[in-house]
Amino acid sequence: MSKSHLELTGVEMAFDTPKGAFIALDNVNLKIKKGEFVSLIGHSGCGKSTVLNIVAGLLQASKGGCVLDGHEVNSPGPERAVVFQNHALMPWLTVYENVELAVQQVFRKTMSKQERRDWILHNLELVNMAHAANKRPGEISGGMAQRVGIARALAMKPSVLLMDEPFGALDALTRAHLQDSLMEIQQELNNTVIMITHDVDEAVLLSDRIIMMTNGPAATVGEDLHIDLPRPRNRVTLADDPTYVHYRQEVLKFLYEKQRKLETIKPARAGKAEQQEKREEAQAARA
Amino acid sequence: MSTLTSSPSESTSASGLRALVERLSIPNPATVGKQLLLPLIGILVFLGFWHLAAPQVNTSLGAFPGPVQVWEQGGQLWQEHSSQRDRADKFITMQEERNQRILEKDPDAEVKIRPYPGAPTFIDQIGTSLVTVLAGFVLATIIAVPLGIVFGLNRHFQAAVNPLIQVFKPVSPLAWLPLVTMVVSATYVSDDPMFEKSFLTSMITVTLCSLWPTLINTSVGVAAVNPDLLNVSRVLRLSFWTHVRKVVLPSSVPMIFTGLRVSLGIAWMVLIAAEMLAQSPGLGKFVWDEFQNGSSQSLSRIMVAVLAIGLIGFLLDRIMLLIQKKVAWNE
Ligand SMILES: Nc1ncnc2c1ncn2[C@@H]1O[C@H](COP(=O)(O)OP(=O)(O)OP(=O)(O)O)[C@@H](O)[C@H]1O
Ligand SMILES: [Mg+2]
């Protein structure tokens, strides 16, 4: 246990913008143990996705870096599977073929055809989607597509599973259901998971640790909260468990007192109205 | 007993039939009636207007032909074609018989096989035009799709060639034609040519004019692949070819087909113009010859050609649409 499984050290991320460099992250340090379930929480735009993309290798930190099992991360790879916010399934492939594309790529050399087939179906069953194996993403609901996205990521046997608001676009019931299955799967496979969320309850219920990020620009890790709740966890009994409520309050305090967003809702609205106007103008111009 | 066994089978066959009807998307008769009725009314009104207005327009070759004359000329052209065909068949059988006789007498004798020397009919010209347009279009596709993929994948490349595309795209076929003719006659020298020079000239002109929409649409489609899907491809570490084959190409198929349809439409229009100008065999030449002929029937015959050109253009587009529906995932 001398070295951690995944380590971010002194990560700075500067984006080139027309107005000059924009420092999104500044000095982010994070150590994650194997099998840990970590949630990233913070206000919109603070840089959560940026952190995740750096771990995924989709973005390259401008300073500092990310080390996984002793190797520096500088390009994406299937051992760091990503579940994207909008499922990101290929719309022209069936559910089965979407998972197959990943399995084919990762286990081409190590599995026989039959083994790959079984492995694809096994992962679809894990998320309860085997029944829709031959449907296209356009023919299934958002929640189902998200589950396929998770199955595809799990099928890569990743050592780290990265999830960017995986349940953000789902209704409360589907979300609860998927959270429960995710907990079960994670218990079973003991993957390391980094999940971005906006949902305080989701973070407390699922995580071993909650990383709270300060507001950007130059965001960094604000607080690191360890959640010592026994597993398996049950959302109903936990709801009025004092420790659970305490953790929940800690996160809420961080988000709404320490890192309160000072923007009022008005400018955002005005911005939206403006955008709407622009869109209408563009449409009129096209017509 | 028999009713018990027959009723489920009846219901399954009925539901099977319904499923079939749904699959073939045959709407119910009432909507079909409506869908057919309005276009039919449109056509009838047009024919009526044409019939009344045509005699008012006087040309040096007599009054402009109405629908009736055009219809008659259509039949006439078909008849000319059939009788020509008969004569050609006779010519061929006679030639074969003669050759047979020669060979019977002397097995080593060299026999001559000559094609029928008669002038091409209207239908032959249609055939020539179709072959030419398809050849030109296929060549344009073979050039435009891979180039479009390369441009779409590489922003620098795209920036480099974009001005060229914008300049060449609006060039009329009539401007290309002389250049193509000169280049073809200078470079395609062969004692036993596989293709007629006129065929090559028309085809290359068609290609030059029709490849732009496919090229532009392909590159736009390739450049517009959903960034999430590109990230999936990166996470999976797909090789360049797998990436193109499994992600880029399928994703841009709808855009590519939109381009192909526009290209085919342009190809067909350009071909007729090129054939007229270059006097190469095909429908364009038929129109030009009739124009030069100047007989009393010429205008009707040209009108037949005009309608045939329109109808073929329409059919070509429909065929492309059918292929698109088969191939594209978003249909
Ligand atoms: N490619 C980019 N170029 C310039 N600025 C960027 C780029 N990507 C992100 N940013 C900026 O970096 C900051 C962090 O973005 P990021 O997407 O990581 O936020 P987030 O915490 O994931 O937000 P959300 O919760 O809304 O998804 C934002 O201010 C954003 O505007
Ligand atoms: Mg984000």
Side-chain angles (χ1 to χ4, degrees):
Chain A
M1 282 311 295
S2 61
K3 275 201 174 166
S4 51
H5 175 49
L6 179 74
E7 188 165 352
L8 287 169
T9 17
V11 168
E12 182 202 275
M13 186 71 218
F15 288 110
D16 285 329
T17 66
K19 290 179 203 149
F22 173 81
I23 311 286
L25 298 177
D26 187 27
N27 197 26
V28 174
N29 294 292
L30 200 56
K31 285 183 185 174
I32 294 172
K33 281 187 282 199
K34 200 162 179 60
E36 221 170 9
F37 195 121
V38 177
S39 286
L40 284 180
I41 202 165
H43 286 288
S44 182
C46 70
K48 305 180 293 292
S49 298
T50 310
V51 171
L52 200 83
N53 285 337
I54 288 172
V55 177
L58 293 167
L59 281 177
Q60 192 72 46
S62 35
K63 266 191 211 151
C66 171
V67 174
L68 173 67
D69 291 329
H71 295 285
E72 190 175 343
V73 167
N74 38 31
S75 70
E79 75 282 357
R80 281 160 285 124
V82 184
V83 177
F84 294 90
Q85 184 164 5
N86 303 309
H87 64 72
L89 300 177
M90 314 279 163
W92 54 89
L93 298 180
T94 64
V95 163
Y96 181 90
E97 289 165 340
N98 263 291
V99 181
E100 188 183 32
L101 182 66
V103 170
Q104 189 89 353
Q105 184 67 17
V106 181
F107 301 111
R108 201 177 17 196
K109 286 176 192 138
T110 51
M111 280 188 191
S112 73
K113 216 173 168 187
Q114 186 58 41
E115 278 171 334
R116 285 200 300 260
R117 207 188 136 68
D118 293 343
W119 177 240
I120 295 165
L121 289 173
H122 168 78
N123 279 283
L124 285 175
E125 265 153 28
L126 217 54
V127 296
N128 268 324
M129 282 302 296
H131 62 94
N134 291 319
K135 290 204 168 142
R136 297 261 175 91
E139 301 166 331
I140 59 181
S141 71
M144 291 161 100
Q146 201 58 29
R147 280 193 267 170
V148 179
I150 295 173
R152 175 175 63 185
L154 290 172
M156 300 176 205
K157 284 195 189 162
S159 55
V160 183
L161 182 61
L162 305 168
M163 303 202 280
D164 194 344
E165 294 182 43
F167 312 129
L170 306 178
D171 66 281
L173 276 176
T174 316
R175 181 196 288 230
H177 183 75
L178 280 185
Q179 287 166 350
D180 289 340
S181 2
L182 180 61
M183 274 196 286
E184 270 171 42
I185 293 169
Q186 205 259 342
Q187 283 254 288
E188 206 178 298
L189 306 178
N190 203 29
N191 293 81
T192 310
V193 180
I194 304 180
M195 179 181 79
I196 294 178
T197 179
H198 276 129
D199 182 337
V200 178
D201 283 299
E202 178 172 282
V204 179
L205 182 68
L206 295 181
S207 321
D208 299 314
R209 266 168 87 192
I210 301 179
I211 307 293
M212 292 174 249
M213 290 186 62
T214 62
N215 288 343
T220 185
V221 175
E223 270 175 46
D224 184 348
L225 182 68
H226 286 254
I227 308 288
D228 280 321
L229 289 171
R231 290 181 190 268
R233 297 173 184 171
N234 179 317
R235 66 178 68 242
V236 183
T237 51
L238 277 180
D240 41 26
D241 180 309
T243 2
Y244 178 85
V245 174
H246 165 74
Y247 287 137
R248 209 173 163 273
Q249 255 157 7
E250 287 285 304
V251 181
L252 287 173
K253 242 185 246 166
F254 178 84
L255 287 178
Y256 299 108
E257 288 174 9
K258 297 177 197 163
Q259 292 293 323
R260 194 150 64 101
K261 277 253 169 178
L262 293 172
E263 294 166 28
T264 49
I265 206 94
K266 258 190 182 162
R269 279 243 182 94
K272 261 192 190 152
E274 224 166 68
Q275 273 181 3
Q276 181 66 25
E277 248 175 48
K278 263 188 202 156
R279 222 173 292 143
E280 275 165 10
E281 258 171 38
Q283 262 169 6
R286 231 176 289 145
Chain B
M1 221 21 221
S2 67
T3 52
L4 264 178
T5 50
S6 73
S7 64
S9 75
E10 249 174 41
S11 75
T12 50
S13 73
S15 72
L17 194 67
R18 212 173 308 130
L20 187 73
V21 167
E22 269 162 24
R23 186 131 38 87
L24 295 175
S25 69
I26 300 172
N28 71 47
T31 52
V32 170
K34 251 182 225 160
Q35 273 173 0
L36 280 180
L37 194 65
L38 290 177
L40 210 65
I41 291 176
I43 292 170
L44 285 178
V45 169
F46 169 74
L47 286 178
F49 179 77
W50 180 14
H51 182 74
L52 294 177
Q56 317 295 324
V57 183
N58 278 304
T59 70
S60 58
L61 297 176
F64 195 83
V68 181
Q69 290 101 302
V70 171
W71 178 257
E72 280 167 2
Q73 270 317 312
Q76 179 77 26
L77 282 169
W78 177 252
Q79 230 149 43
E80 280 169 25
H81 175 70
S82 338
S83 60
Q84 186 87 292
R85 227 347 114 65
D86 285 346
R87 262 178 278 153
D89 284 348
K90 264 185 215 140
F91 174 84
I92 298 288
T93 41
M94 266 164 60
Q95 175 172 290
E96 272 170 6
E97 278 165 13
R98 192 177 56 235
N99 286 344
Q100 202 104 49
R101 262 181 277 125
I102 296 173
L103 284 174
E104 267 166 26
K105 271 189 222 152
D106 170 15
D108 299 327
E110 262 188 43
V111 292
K112 279 180 241 147
I113 298 175
R114 264 174 300 161
Y116 178 67
T121 65
F122 179 61
I123 311 290
D124 297 336
Q125 301 284 37
I126 290 182
T128 311
S129 284
L130 276 177
V131 169
T132 317
V133 83
L134 288 182
F137 173 69
V138 167
L139 185 63
T141 306
I142 291 173
I143 296 171
V145 171
L147 266 186
I149 291 174
V150 171
F151 294 172
L153 286 176
N154 191 328
R155 212 173 308 137
H156 304 296
F157 212 47
Q158 169 128 33
V161 291
N162 198 35
L164 293 176
I165 294 179
Q166 298 301 336
V167 167
F168 284 126
K169 191 179 63 153
V171 174
S172 148
L174 309 183
W176 281 120
L177 197 63
L179 298 176
V180 174
T181 314
M182 296 313 290
V183 171
V184 165
S185 48
T187 53
Y188 190 70
V189 216
S190 142
D191 295 333
D192 181 25
M194 194 160 65
F195 303 112
E196 298 274 340
K197 271 185 185 162
S198 60
F199 168 81
L200 280 183
T201 311
S202 304
M203 183 189 84
I204 292 172
T205 309
V206 165
T207 302
L208 282 177
C209 294
S210 71
L211 62 83
W212 309 108
T214 306
L215 179 64
I216 292 169
N217 272 38
T218 305
S219 70
V220 169
V222 167
V225 178
N226 181 345
D228 274 354
L229 300 186
L230 295 181
N231 280 340
V232 170
S233 168
R234 288 177 63 197
V235 168
L236 286 174
R237 291 215 184 105
L238 296 184
S239 68
F240 176 76
W241 284 115
T242 322
H243 172 67
V244 169
R245 247 185 37 238
K246 296 269 172 91
V247 181
V248 169
L249 210 56
S251 166
S252 30
V253 153
M255 276 297 271
I256 294 178
F257 263 92
T258 313
L260 285 177
R261 278 176 65 194
V262 177
S263 279
L264 186 55
I266 290 181
W268 185 236
M269 281 205 269
V270 162
L271 175 69
I272 305 297
E275 284 170 351
M276 276 180 84
L277 192 74
Q279 302 284 295
S280 347
L283 270 173
K285 182 172 161 63
F286 175 87
V287 170
W288 189 252
D289 287 349
E290 288 300 331
F291 177 59
Q292 295 295 323
N293 223 355
S295 81
S296 58
Q297 295 166 344
S298 286
L299 289 183
S300 308
R301 291 163 82 98
I302 291 176
M303 200 61 204
V304 173
V306 166
L307 293 179
I309 292 167
L311 218 60
I312 290 169
F314 172 70
L315 285 179
L316 288 176
D317 189 56
R318 281 291 123 150
I319 292 169
M320 278 307 285
L321 195 65
L322 281 181
I323 299 175
Q324 176 172 16
K325 283 198 170 154
K326 274 252 150 39
V327 177
W329 45 272
N330 66 338
E331 292 291 330

